């Protein structure tokens, strides 16, 4: 974005996991000073959780560390979703950007060091089941800033007794800003070229 739009000062308000898609707020110039304001807004995600397995990274990018048969029905899933709705204590994934003694947790985990992160309080305002075809369930969640959806997938699977990991994730909203209003990089490039040619 910096090279494309020729802005010296460019920042963003909250990262996405490498395998995730969706909305990212990009800030330019003096607006970069407002990054904390935007990153602290609540988020909305849609995604897929695969039951019956746990991975080292709590998503499909990591090594499988446990597997179990999936025997739950929609009723059990809805009960488990309700348990995770509201204010909860959540342990971030070991493979996350949380700092431990000044170092990123994921760097320690990749080096083979055991990482124990303290639980933090987060809020899931809505956690809805969109569809279920074992072993995968589709969900929509609205949550506070700082919530790890990979941890939500892991904890849901544990509550159901079969394990769970995040299979797909898309951020659909940040506060009042929705992904439907956003421009992808190809559209920004097209508009930039049209502007340069005019």
């Amino acid at each position: 974005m910096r090279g494309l739009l020729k802005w010296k000062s460019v920042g963003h308000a909250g990262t996405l996991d490498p395998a995730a898609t969706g909305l990212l707020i990009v800030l330019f110039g003096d607006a970069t000073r407002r990054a904390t304001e935007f990153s602290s807004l609540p988020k909305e995600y849609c995604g897929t959780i695969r039951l019956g397995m746990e991975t080292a990274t709590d998503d499909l990018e990591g090594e499988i560390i446990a597997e179990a048969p999936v025997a739950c029905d929609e009723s059990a899933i809805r009960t488990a979703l309700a348990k995770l709705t509201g204010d909860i204590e959540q342990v971030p994934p070991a493979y996350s950007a949380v700092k431990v003694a000044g170092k990123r947790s994921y760097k320690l985990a990749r080096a083979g060091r055991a990482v124990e992160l303290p639980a933090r309080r987060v809020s899931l305002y809505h956690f809805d089941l969109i569809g279920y075809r074992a072993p995968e369930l589709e969900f929509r969640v609205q949550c506070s800033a700082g919530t790890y959806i990979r941890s939500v997938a892991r904890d849901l699977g544990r509550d159901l007794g079969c394990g769970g990991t995040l299979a797909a994730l898309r951020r659909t909203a940040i506060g009042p800003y929705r992904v439907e209003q956003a421009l992808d990089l190809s559209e920004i490039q097209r508009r930039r070229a049209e502007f340069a040619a005019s």
Side-chain angles (χ1 to χ4, degrees):
M1 292 294 290
R2 182 179 291 115
L4 180 64
L5 300 180
K6 310 303 181 189
W7 280 81
K8 290 183 180 178
S9 182
V10 180
H12 60 79
T15 59
L16 280 166
D17 285 345
T21 63
L23 184 61
L24 179 70
I25 293 178
V26 180
L27 306 168
F28 299 90
D30 290 343
T32 57
R33 299 173 188 163
R34 300 175 60 193
T36 301
E37 172 191 336
F38 287 105
S39 62
S40 64
L41 292 170
K43 313 292 192 297
E44 180 185 89
Y45 297 91
C46 292
T48 304
I49 295 171
R50 184 172 300 171
L51 300 175
M53 61 189 292
E54 284 196 21
T55 67
T57 57
D58 297 323
D59 63 14
L60 294 182
E61 301 293 305
E63 175 188 359
I64 298 173
I65 56 176
E67 293 184 274
V70 179
C72 53
D73 59 14
E74 276 198 28
S75 177
I77 292 171
R78 291 185 190 280
T79 298
L81 294 178
K83 281 182 175 179
L84 285 170
T85 304
D87 296 335
I88 62 170
E89 294 290 320
Q90 182 186 81
V91 177
Y95 286 80
S96 65
V98 175
K99 285 191 176 180
V100 178
K103 294 187 177 180
R104 299 290 185 188
S105 176
Y106 69 85
K107 290 186 178 180
L108 298 173
R110 285 177 184 162
R113 292 179 56 183
V115 178
E116 290 188 20
L117 298 173
R120 56 171 68 177
R121 183 165 287 271
V122 298
S123 298
L124 274 62
Y125 309 119
H126 298 281
F127 194 8
D128 304 314
L129 179 65
I130 304 303
Y132 177 51
R133 180 178 290 180
E136 292 190 340
L137 64 92
E138 307 291 326
F139 68 91
R140 180 182 297 112
V141 63
Q142 292 176 319
C143 58
S144 63
T147 303
Y148 281 91
I149 307 302
R150 285 182 288 143
S151 292
V152 172
R154 176 199 66 210
D155 294 345
L156 177 68
R158 288 178 180 175
D159 190 72
L160 292 167
C162 59
T165 196
L166 189 64
L169 187 67
R170 181 168 179 78
R171 186 158 62 202
T172 51
I174 301 173
Y177 307 99
R178 298 202 56 84
V179 70
E180 294 86 359
Q181 301 166 313
L183 302 176
D184 64 19
L185 188 57
S186 62
E187 177 62 14
I188 294 170
Q189 289 170 327
R190 186 188 69 77
R191 293 189 183 193
R192 172 62 179 163
E194 283 184 356
F195 178 78
S198 63

